[in-house]
Every structure is written in structure tokens, then in C-alpha cells.
Amino acid sequence: MGRKISIIKNSNFYAFGVLGLIVLRAVSNWIIPLMDKTEARYAEIARIMVDSNNWVTPQIDYGVPFWAKPPLSTWLSAISMKIFGINEFAVRLPSLILSIVIVILVGQFAKQKKLPFFLPGFILLTIPEFLLHAGVVSTDVSLAFCVTIMMLSFWITMNQEKPSYWRYLFFVAMGFGFLAKGPIVLILTMPPIILWVLLFNEYRSGIKKFPWILGALIALAIAVPWYYLAELRTKGFLDYFIVGEHFKRFFDSSWKGDKYGFPKTQPFGIIWVFLFIFSLPWIQLVFFKLWKFRANLSKDKWLVFLLFWLLWTPFFFTFSKSLIHTYILPVMVPVALLVVHFWDSDSIKRQRMMVITSLIVPFLVIVTLLIGLVNNNLEQYSNTDKFLLKGQVQNSDVNLYYFGKKSYSSQFYSHGKIKSVSFDELSGKLKTDHPFEIIIPDKFLTKVKESDLKKLRVVKSNAKKHLYIYEEGND
């Protein structure tokens, strides 16, 4: 028993656990190809930014502006690819780095309770939603990072006697939050902060401790220049992004003006299901503890602050008709910090059980990767065109096509070389003497004439698609 207790209490256990999980995520970032649609789309937007050297207007294809999101995550991925080359690890590296910074930031709150520094980081990295996004190309990691800095800066500033740089970091994070995902950064942070201030009558202290006028100018100085240039370069951006993405999308899941996505009608309140599934097992422990100590919740300012932070985001998105599970990412930090807050109220046996249970998902990731590599399942069944295009792009003399709407992974892995062709265009190209290669999804094979298909030779294939080549003399 003594040995088991020492392991759970030993700070080295959590330090090595965090290191191991980060290594696991880094290796996964290197091995796993970019998946369609969402991740490959953001990766391709970043690749085009590098290739076109256009750092103002993100593009979903050459000459086609991407208005749905601001550019912070795209900038970070593009800079990473500038340094480390066009590959999966480089485009995902910013998400991993931001996640590591969050892990380090939350450690100080464990030390204040005389708990292992890496305990909250261990909890974060064993939350499926957080572990997943430590290696995914998306705007959500940048937003979660900015939300985390804003919320922690607010708390630290409110509880320090002397002014520090944290009061300025609050506004710096706000400005970058506008560049990460837009005004949503204020929607996710200011309501819980205001509620907490009003509940504990802290508004005078809040006004006094923060440089609100200078801070607002700092935030505007960070965010406004890009918004101005974006509208200047592509007229209509502000109307689409502010009105369409922030109001019409929220209230109307069938919004017809969506240029890039697709209707995602979800049942009312599905965000809470996402929270309880993608944050297990820690979220269940949090709510169990909140219920157990419900009589004394309102007396602890830190506990209430974390509770408001945790509950506000899912409450807000409860009323949205269009959402995905990634919307819960900004509240993974309060989940971890609430677990830390209640940690010493549990027995060693329960702590050990929670730690073991939390490692199930990372263990399954390792097993899945190993099985995928040994059985070639990644190449056959993953939703990507990387393996079909491997080795094909180097042949610059052969044109590369995609039957129907080209996938984002095919764009990324062909370095923008691949072009979409329709049924009529394919028939026309088969009448020329110019060799080409074409990816045809199996679901579209019935649309291709049998006589045309005979002119094509299969080069590679997976469970859903074939790569064909047309050569002189095939017909």
C-alpha cells in the first residue's frame, strides 16, 4: 500500500506522465496524415498562405478568400511550415506548443495547494478533447489559449496586491482572441467575469486594478489592423464574418449563406453531451464533487470563478442550432483546475482509480496507432488522400485531377497541383494525347462511361478511392 500511495503523491509520476503524453501526441502528429474535411482544409489554407506569400487574406483555394475565420492559427501554421517544411508535423506544431504552454501555466495553481506542479497538466492531457486538439490544425486551440490567458490573467490580477504584467496580458489575449476566432472571445469570457464581479461585489477592485482605457487600445491595436486590411483587400468580409458567422450561423443551422461548411443541425442541448463524453472521466468527478460540497460552494471565490468559467460556455451554446464538439475546448482548463481544487478531498484509492481510468484513452490511441501501422489500416481506411498521392506529385510532366470536388487533403499533398474535373471534362481529356492521373471516388464510378474507364489504368487504391493513370496508347 505504501508504494502505491507514494506513486500517486509523487510529483515525478505526473512530470513523466505529462512528458510521455506530449511525446505520444508529437509522434501521432508526425505519423497520422491530415484528415478531410476540417483539419486538411485549415492545413491547406496555411500551405497556400506560404506558397502565395499572401499573409493578409487566407485562401481556401488560389484566388478564393476564406472569410469564415480570422488568420491567427493560419499564421502560426504557415510560419511553422516556413521553418520546418510542408508536412503534417509542422502544420500541427503550433497547436502542440500552445497546449504545452497551457499545461505549464496551470501548474502554478497546483503548487499553491502544495500539490504536484504537473498534476493539472496531467489531467488536461488525459482529457480526450484536450489531447485531441494538442495535435489538430484548427482555430479552436488558438481561441482556447486566448480564453485561458484572459481568465487566468483576470484572476491573478484581482488577487495580487501590486500591479503586474498580468493586467496587460488580459488585453493582449483579448486582441489576439479577435484574431483567433473573432468577437466570440468576449462572449466566452466577459459574462462569467461580470457575474463573478457582481456576486462578490468586486467591481471597484476590478475597475481600479485594470488599465481599461489603455488595455482597450492595446487590444484594438492588435486586432483592428488586420480586420481593416482584410476588408480592404476583399470587400464584404466584415458583413459575412460578423453578421453571418456570428449571428446567422448561431440562430439558423440551415443558413444558406455559409460559403464553406454544411448544415450541422444538432439536438437542443447537445453541447452538454459533448462535454460529458469528451471530458471523461474528469468532468464526472467534478460534478460529483460539486454536488457533494454544494452547501459551501458560494463561499469560495476561486471555486465560483472556475464554476462560472466552466458552465457559461456550454450554457451559451445550449441555444445554438449549429455546433460541434470542439466548442467545449475553452473549458477544459477549468475542468482540470476544479479537479485539482477537490483533489485532497479524495482518498488515495479514488485518486489512483481516477488516474488509471484517465489513461485508458491514451492507451487506446497507442494500440490503435500500432494496429494501424502493422495492418496498413491507416493507408486503407483513413479519410485522407495522402497515400494515393505519395510519390505521384514529383512527376511534373503529368497533370493531376480529381473527379468531382477535390478534397482538401489532395490539395495539400499535391501542393496545389491537383484540379477538379467534371464528367464532361474527363471525357474531353481522354480524347487528347496528354497523359494525366486522376483520383476517382468509388461512389462516382457509375458516372464514368465504361468506355472511358477502360482507357484508365489503376495505379493505387484504398477502401474508398482509386488513382488512375491515362497514358498515350491506352485507348
Side-chain angles (χ1 to χ4, degrees), residues 103-391:
V103 165
I104 294 172
L105 281 174
V106 297
Q108 62 180 302
F109 296 96
K111 286 187 68 176
Q112 292 172 7
K113 295 179 69 66
K114 294 181 172 53
L115 292 171
F117 179 86
F118 285 106
L119 173 60
F122 178 87
I123 294 167
L124 274 174
L125 287 166
T126 53
I127 295 176
E129 188 72 24
F130 190 88
L131 181 63
L132 170 68
H133 278 87
V136 169
V137 188
S138 76
T139 58
D140 298 285
V141 178
S142 298
L143 174 64
F145 180 80
C146 293
V147 168
T148 298
I149 297 298
M150 281 188 67
M151 297 300 284
L152 295 183
S153 295
F154 174 81
W155 176 260
I156 293 171
T157 300
M158 291 294 291
N159 288 275
Q160 283 184 333
E161 294 296 328
K162 295 181 179 180
S164 71
Y165 61 89
W166 285 101
R167 61 179 183 157
Y168 294 105
L169 277 181
F170 177 84
F171 297 101
V172 171
M174 183 187 297
F176 280 109
F178 271 89
L179 293 176
K181 214 165 183 178
I184 190 69
V185 71
L186 293 182
I187 296 173
L188 299 185
T189 55
M190 295 311 295
I193 285 174
I194 292 171
L195 285 173
W196 183 87
V197 167
L198 293 176
L199 179 64
F200 291 103
N201 198 26
E202 293 278 359
Y203 54 88
R204 290 181 181 176
S205 180
I207 293 174
K208 180 181 178 181
K209 290 190 173 186
F210 285 89
W212 291 102
I213 296 177
L214 177 59
L217 292 175
I218 291 173
L220 290 172
I222 292 171
V224 168
W226 176 78
Y227 280 87
Y228 171 76
L229 290 174
E231 177 67 21
L232 193 65
R233 296 280 185 90
T234 54
K235 298 293 183 182
F237 158 72
L238 288 177
D239 177 69
Y240 178 87
F241 179 66
I242 302 297
V243 179
E245 288 284 339
H246 284 79
F247 292 96
K248 292 181 180 178
R249 179 187 293 279
F250 184 87
F251 293 106
D252 185 3
S253 59
S254 61
W255 173 40
K256 302 299 182 182
D258 192 342
K259 294 177 179 289
Y260 316 103
F262 52 92
K264 297 180 282 289
T265 304
Q266 300 282 12
F268 180 82
I270 191 67
I271 191 71
W272 296 96
V273 177
F274 291 154
L275 179 63
F276 273 82
I277 291 177
F278 291 99
S279 305
L280 58 80
W282 300 109
I283 190 66
Q284 286 77 13
L285 176 64
V286 166
F287 277 91
F288 171 76
K289 292 295 183 179
L290 289 173
W291 177 255
K292 183 177 180 180
F293 297 104
R294 62 190 181 278
N296 299 315
L297 290 182
S298 61
K299 299 177 182 179
D300 190 319
K301 291 183 178 182
W302 172 236
L303 179 58
V304 173
F305 178 76
L306 293 176
L307 189 57
F308 283 172
W309 182 1
L310 168 62
L311 296 180
W312 167 249
T313 293
F315 173 78
F316 173 75
F317 284 115
T318 297
F319 306 97
S320 174
K321 296 181 179 180
S322 178
L323 55 87
I324 52 180
H325 68 86
T326 58
Y327 289 12
I328 67 169
L329 185 61
V331 300
M332 296 301 97
V333 169
V335 169
L337 291 178
L338 280 166
V339 173
V340 170
H341 180 82
F342 291 120
W343 192 247
D344 277 338
S345 67
D346 267 327
S347 64
I348 296 297
K349 183 178 179 181
R350 185 186 292 274
Q351 290 174 357
R352 187 170 61 250
M353 180 191 71
M354 291 302 301
V355 167
I356 293 172
T357 304
S358 71
L359 289 171
I360 291 176
V361 169
F363 174 77
L364 290 176
V365 169
I366 295 173
V367 171
T368 302
L369 279 176
L370 290 174
I371 292 174
L373 290 172
V374 171
N375 296 334
N376 208 28
N377 289 336
L378 274 178
E379 186 167 337
Q380 281 296 312
Y381 299 103
S382 54
N383 188 26
T384 180
D385 291 325
K386 174 183 178 177
F387 303 107
L388 288 177
L389 295 171
K390 189 175 182 179

Side-chain angles (χ1 to χ4, degrees), residues 421-440:
V421 295
S422 64
F423 169 79
D424 293 332
E425 289 172 329
L426 175 59
S427 295
K429 292 182 184 302
L430 288 169
K431 295 176 182 178
T432 71
D433 291 329
H434 302 295
F436 65 85
E437 293 175 331
I438 183 169
I439 294 176
I440 304 180

Side-chain angles (χ1 to χ4, degrees), residues 38-49:
T38 304
E39 188 189 23
R41 175 176 69 176
Y42 286 117
E44 173 62 3
I45 291 170
R47 189 202 63 79
I48 292 176
M49 181 172 281

